[in-house]
Amino acid sequence: MNKSGNWILFILAAVVVFVLLGLHMVVVHLDGIFGILSPAGGSALAWENVIQRSKSNFFTVTYIILLGAALYHGFYGLRTIIFELGPRKAVERGWTIFLLAVGTVLFIVGTYAAIAVRTVETAL
């Protein structure tokens, strides 16, 4: 992908992070106003509500999308900052591979955690 394509993905990832993080803030921190998003009632951080959200396909998918968008936005931004320092092409390539590898591993671990949490209730 060319630079402008990566830049467009960077901006789209920022929009996705903004929207999904806003949704997270509404669900978790404005539960007094939007209590309908706490199906078990009470605090959004109560164990029953956390378990209800973890079993929801909607929340699992949004967590995974948020994770992917945040990782791409963060690592592409870091890569851009590093490249602005003017390293040699070999160093740029090394940083790109390193950040891609770390981002991929973090995405796999985070996705596994978002899916594995669906079984927490039975494990406790």
Side-chain angles (χ1 to χ4, degrees):
M1 186 178 296
N2 60 18
K3 278 187 176 183
S4 62
N6 288 336
W7 185 253
I8 290 170
L9 279 178
F10 177 74
I11 299 300
L12 286 175
V15 171
V16 169
V17 168
F18 180 77
V19 170
L20 293 182
L21 208 50
L23 176 65
H24 169 81
M25 295 300 282
V26 167
V27 169
V28 175
H29 301 290
L30 297 178
D31 58 329
I33 299 171
F34 301 102
I36 59 171
L37 299 172
S38 298
S43 171
L45 299 177
W47 181 250
E48 296 80 18
N49 287 322
V50 172
I51 291 299
Q52 290 283 337
R53 283 194 306 271
S54 72
K55 296 212 176 294
S56 163
N57 290 334
F58 172 77
F59 282 103
T60 301
V61 170
T62 56
Y63 290 152
I64 293 171
I65 292 171
L66 176 61
L67 173 67
L71 285 171
Y72 180 80
H73 186 77
F75 281 120
Y76 186 75
L78 177 61
R79 179 182 172 268
T80 301
I81 291 170
I82 291 170
F83 282 20
E84 287 180 359
L85 297 174
R88 292 179 296 165
K89 290 293 180 191
V91 175
E92 286 182 355
R93 183 167 169 76
W95 272 108
T96 299
I97 291 170
F98 173 74
L99 293 174
L100 184 62
V102 171
T104 301
V105 168
L106 290 175
F107 182 75
I108 290 169
V109 170
T111 299
Y112 174 77
I115 293 170
V117 74
R118 299 168 68 87
T119 62
V120 166
E121 186 178 30
T122 57
L124 292 177

